[in-house]
Amino acid sequence: MGTIGYMNAYLFDGVNDTIQEKGWFTVSEETGRFLAIGTGALPNDNECDRVVDLQGQYVMPGMINAHTHMTMDAESLDSGFGANEVEATVYALDNLKKAIQSGVTYVRECGTRYDIDIRLAQMQAQGKLSDLPEIMPSGRAYSMTGGHGDFPEFSWLVDSEDEMRHAVRQGLKNGAQNIKLMATGGVMSKDDHMFQPQLSIAEMKVAVEEAHHRGKIVCAHAEGPKGIKNAIAAGVDSVEHCFYPDEEDLNNMLAQGTFVSPTLVAGAGILKIGEGTAFSYQADKTREIWTDLLQNVAKIYQAGIPLTLATDAGTPFNGFELTAVEFQLFVEKIHLTPFQALLTSYHSAQLMKIDQDYGSIETGKVADFLVLKGNPLEDVKVVQQVDKQVYKKGRRVF
């Protein structure tokens, strides 16, 4: 193993609103990390074992999707919840392949049947599945009985503080790195509503306490106002969806350093593709909140709360190949600039506490990057390029 030099590229490092012209960088094949980065002529190119001329294409960091469900089937109205463990594993591998081909190099799972994500992450730690995105596993989610996560083999069902403590400790023992709580009803569950609070503050506080003791993070599915307030009071690291925060919520999230994952693609897919096809209750719920959601996400951003790149991938009409569409929706619906939209991927790395190694193109960081034909700071839709080059740890995987 040696050193690979890349030259003649336009570089977007993922954290600065600039493009470096005539960029170059070197990558260690042994460590999979960036060795040096600069502009102009590639220095000491004779010391590189191989030199790649990128011919004036654009380089940006690999995308980090902070909300996925790999064992779901986006092409099925019930998201494949009837699948057995073998079928669910096939869904997971197929979804992860779609993700890496689209430029997603890291995912944070937010609820997986049979703990399949934990097993796959353990295999990655053994050097296997290297052509798939890195996985921050959650294992099963945590739901009250009859709650939003009460699907077969999908959640730990907990109905008290003691049950929550035991379940979270078991999940962490199994290998979960992200604890997913269900604070409200949701779009996908038929017999509850987004405005209904579910897990209590006390129950969620126990989960946060146990996870933080182990240095792990906690997210909460929280769509309606009461559940959002409960999740924030419990001290979660991120609020997922967050349809109806009020000013108090915004101030508390800002003070606590809470992240928000809007998952706009999930709703847009049901409205665009699922109309007349999705279960009627899913379409009805989405139409009910869509305009309010867009307005409130804009308020969240304006308040200074970091938004993550997160899509809820796996839900109906929301495939793992659609992550880059979230950038487009941030620009077109929330009116962010292309740079502000692209920065959400780095926010994902910060939320996941992996930003010391991932999320930007910097010396010493893991060399996960994409090669595009167009400038993403001018038009974020170029990140949706189907035939983009995808590199993971310095090695081209697609």
Side-chain angles (χ1 to χ4, degrees), residues 11 29 69 82 98 102 108 112 194 280 330 397-398:
L11 296 181
E29 289 186 289
H69 298 283
K98 290 177 180 177
S102 71
R108 178 182 70 150
T112 302
M194 299 166 286
S280 60
F330 277 135
V397 293
F398 186 72

Side-chain angles (χ1 to χ4, degrees), residues 216-348:
K216 309 305 180 185
I217 60 175
V218 182
C219 66
H221 165 102
E223 297 177 344
K226 180 61 175 176
I228 291 171
K229 203 169 291 291
N230 289 348
I232 296 168
V236 301
D237 299 288
S238 66
V239 177
E240 311 301 296
H241 318 303
C242 203
F243 294 168
Y244 288 98
D246 61 22
E247 288 299 319
E248 179 186 49
D249 299 330
L250 298 180
N251 291 333
N252 287 338
M253 286 192 288
L254 189 61
Q256 293 175 196
T258 310
F259 291 74
V260 169
S261 303
T263 67
L264 301 177
V265 170
I270 290 176
L271 292 177
K272 180 179 180 180
I273 305 172
E275 194 68 42
T277 305
F279 290 128
S280 60
Y281 66 85
Q282 294 177 348
D284 290 344
K285 289 180 180 182
T286 304
R287 280 194 301 270
E288 178 184 346
I289 56 86
W290 184 245
T291 299
D292 291 339
L293 167 62
L294 298 180
Q295 293 174 347
N296 286 328
V297 171
K299 290 180 182 178
I300 292 167
Y301 181 82
Q302 292 161 6
I305 297 162
L307 303 178
T308 69
L309 176 63
T311 68
D312 214 359
T315 55
F317 317 105
N318 183 14
F320 273 65
E321 71 279 7
L322 299 178
T323 299
V325 177
E326 190 82 356
F327 293 142
Q328 180 183 347
L329 292 173
F330 277 135
V331 171
E332 295 180 353
K333 302 298 185 181
I334 312 301
H335 307 298
L336 304 189
T337 68
F339 170 68
Q340 290 167 341
L342 293 164
L343 192 60
T344 60
S345 184
Y346 186 68
H347 290 160
S348 293

